[in-house]
Amino acid sequence: MSAAIAWIEDLPGIPPERSFYACTERHHALAVLVPFSIALPWDKNPAPLLALFRVNDAGGWASLSILHDTADHRAVLLAQADDAGLCQWLAINGIGWFDAASPLSLVPVHIPKPWGEEIWFTGIESRGVSCALPISGQAIPLTWLLSAMPEYLLGQHAGDWPVLLKILSPLPDAGFGDLYLELHEEKREVYIITGVDRAAWPDGVGKIRLGVNPDAVAEHGDEQRFRDAFAAAAQAYEVHRHEVDAWLDQRRASDGLPANEPVSPVWLRSQLAAQPAEWREREDSLREALDSFTSLKPLRVGDVVQVPLRVPHSLQHGVRAVEFQTPVYERKILAFGQKVLTQPHWDSRDGADLMLLKAAIEPALPVLEQSPGLQVEQVARFDDFSVQRVSVGAGHVRTGEPGSYRVLMGLSGRLGAGIARLSPEQAWFWPAALPFCVEVAQSAENTVFLEAIPA
């Protein structure tokens, strides 16, 4: 192998991975350097980048580094004479490398919410983009890797963003930690409960508001009257909330706080203590009237909630959940006990007309595989992706064929794949082209993880 880095000019519309394999010089080169750019919908200017493929003895790629495309970076890289010097320069500059035989370790982005926070592991939005952590060096945006290696990472789903994995972390406060009451027409989502805050739920049993109250439907005589009554109750509550929120906005401005960003519950609580007493009484009365239209479902750690389309739902305060969902931003906000920061109005009337009044009862989780040291349960199966809960015993291995990417989240124990390790509330992106093989060490405890696979 010659001590040279092969250079390939940018080919518009051709991902770097294809340029790498089309480069015959790679068989004699130390590495292949490919310029490329990505343009996200919310960015006006494409980001110019360099993909550096270190070549293995068979002419494939052993590792990938991605860095900003600058004249200095080009000059230094193209002048490298050997692999040791190349690796040293990358290390000095904090530029990591991703191994061809390992999953991507995901680095989440934390998104503040009025009710707490969302922790996105595969999030790709203007509000935040998740990252991937190389074996050494600094984390880089997941979008860089997906643009450089779409076929290797996504397989037949190249061109699509991956299934969205996130953690919902509501505040334990009943006044501020309940999520939006909302429904979806397209977005599929499933919750796996991982924590119930004892400060909010002393018996360890939390709640989710899910579906309509059948007794309330019966009381109103027919479905249309129920829908109309729900919409009227929600609209009355919305009028009240707008009055309170406008009053709070004045106080935000006085304290120099932004109007449309989450504020701390401590600040909110101190301000609401000064509101007129009749507002508090009205809040409780209107909220109680609206809540009577929906049902509460108890939740314990380990429970699974598949949210059907067009069914109103609201995870309650202090209940922590892993969520897998289709990566689309689509919802109807029916009601919320705080200011809605993302839109100026609720969607109560439209939502009332759309909501499903008779949702299917969730079946027990079917067991897909059962053998010594292995159990696989079907958590959810939607048109566009499925989620499984996998339990692997100490000293056992789970394998699978390449073909589809996988998004993994650890729940308990410790999972291994080569030198990579997955602990609870950590996540991997498993490339579509990489044969699946994970193991639990003989000395480790039994391990449970979640696995999402696109359809």
Side-chain angles (χ1 to χ4, degrees):
M1 179 180 291
S2 66
I5 293 181
W7 168 263
I8 300 178
E9 289 295 338
D10 184 21
L11 300 175
I14 304 299
E17 63 184 346
R18 287 195 185 181
S19 296
F20 171 80
Y21 284 110
C23 175
T24 58
E25 291 87 350
R26 75 181 189 278
H27 294 285
H28 309 288
L30 164 70
V32 175
L33 189 61
V34 186
F36 72 109
S37 61
I38 64 172
L40 297 171
W42 55 88
D43 284 339
K44 294 181 179 179
N45 300 313
L49 301 169
L50 294 171
L52 178 71
F53 296 88
R54 291 167 64 205
V55 182
N56 61 28
D57 292 337
W61 64 281
S63 71
L64 169 66
S65 299
I66 302 181
L67 60 157
H68 289 288
D69 186 359
T70 67
D72 287 346
H73 285 167
R74 291 191 185 195
V76 171
L77 288 171
L78 292 173
Q80 294 301 315
D82 55 51
D83 192 59
L86 173 61
C87 291
Q88 183 180 28
W89 183 84
L90 292 172
I92 290 173
N93 288 275
I95 300 168
W97 52 276
F98 295 88
D99 185 72
S102 297
L104 303 181
S105 294
L106 298 174
V107 179
V109 57
H110 292 251
I111 307 297
K113 295 286 186 177
W115 46 261
E117 69 170 354
E118 291 185 350
I119 306 168
W120 297 353
F121 288 85
T122 53
I124 301 173
E125 286 191 25
S126 59
R127 295 176 293 167
V129 175
S130 302
C131 290
L133 184 66
I135 290 177
S136 65
Q138 300 172 358
I140 65 171
L142 182 58
T143 48
W144 291 12
L145 289 159
L146 294 174
S147 297
M149 303 282 287
E151 294 168 8
Y152 172 79
L153 292 173
L154 296 167
Q156 63 181 331
H157 297 279
D160 298 331
W161 295 136
V163 172
L164 178 56
L165 164 62
K166 61 186 177 183
I167 291 175
L168 304 176
S169 182
L171 297 164
D173 193 311
F176 307 111
D178 293 346
L179 276 64
Y180 305 108
L181 181 65
E182 62 184 14
L183 60 78
H184 307 292
E185 296 179 82
E186 301 174 30
K187 186 170 74 174
R188 300 284 190 172
E189 55 188 19
V190 58
Y191 301 155
I192 302 91
I193 307 307
T194 58
V196 176
D197 194 314
R198 292 274 180 170
W201 309 97
D203 61 355
V205 182
K207 298 284 178 63
I208 184 172
R209 197 165 290 282
L210 184 69
V212 303
N213 180 355
D215 292 338
V217 177
E219 280 178 23
H220 286 87
D222 67 36
E223 292 187 357
Q224 189 55 52
R225 278 199 285 269
F226 172 86
R227 295 180 193 276
D228 292 342
F230 173 89
Q235 288 164 348
Y237 186 34
E238 182 180 11
V239 170
H240 163 75
R241 285 305 324 167
H242 282 327
E243 183 176 7
V244 175
D245 294 337
W247 179 77
L248 285 171
D249 281 349
Q250 293 177 348
R251 290 173 169 250
R252 285 179 185 245
S254 297
D255 288 354
L257 297 174
N260 289 306
E261 292 183 14
V263 293
S264 78
V266 174
W267 183 88
L268 275 175
R269 195 176 290 109
S270 68
Q271 303 305 311
L272 290 173
Q275 69 179 320
E278 61 268 24
W279 284 12
R280 181 72 264 169
E281 295 171 2
R282 190 199 310 162
E283 170 85 22
D284 293 342
S285 175
L286 292 171
R287 183 69 176 264
E288 183 179 351
L290 183 60
D291 285 348
S292 70
F293 288 87
T294 54
S295 294
L296 284 170
K297 173 184 172 66
L299 292 176
R300 296 171 175 82
V301 172
D303 283 353
V304 172
V305 180
Q306 298 180 37
V307 181
L309 295 180
R310 297 167 49 208
V311 168
H313 58 281
S314 168
L315 191 66
Q316 301 293 281
H317 58 283
V319 181
R320 190 176 180 91
V322 172
E323 179 185 358
F324 289 94
Q325 68 171 70
T326 43
V328 296
Y329 183 80
E330 168 272 316
R331 68 182 175 194
K332 292 284 190 292
I333 294 178
L334 307 179
F336 189 42
Q338 300 182 62
K339 181 181 179 181
V340 176
L341 304 179
T342 54
Q343 61 187 60
H345 60 83
W346 297 0
D347 307 304
S348 310
R349 179 69 261 180
D350 290 344
D353 293 336
L354 286 168
M355 70 172 59
L356 192 64
L357 303 187
K358 296 178 181 178
I361 299 175
E362 297 176 10
L365 302 185
V367 176
L368 303 180
E369 295 182 50
Q370 184 81 62
S371 62
L374 176 68
Q375 177 175 284
V376 181
E377 300 169 281
Q378 185 79 69
V379 169
R381 188 175 187 85
F382 301 131
D383 291 340
D384 45 0
F385 72 95
S386 62
V387 179
Q388 300 172 355
R389 181 163 56 194
V390 184
S391 303
V392 183
H396 287 77
V397 176
R398 175 166 168 77
T399 61
E401 295 298 320
S404 289
Y405 74 81
R406 304 165 192 249
V407 179
L408 278 64
M409 163 66 76
L411 293 181
S412 65
R414 202 173 190 205
L415 197 65
I419 63 173
R421 296 292 180 269
L422 186 72
S423 297
E425 292 203 352
Q426 294 180 345
W428 282 343
F429 184 97
W430 197 280
L434 184 65
F436 187 65
C437 182
V438 296
E439 62 181 353
V440 177
Q442 187 69 52
S443 59
E445 61 182 307
N446 292 350
T447 295
V448 181
F449 64 94
L450 299 167
E451 176 183 274
I453 304 174

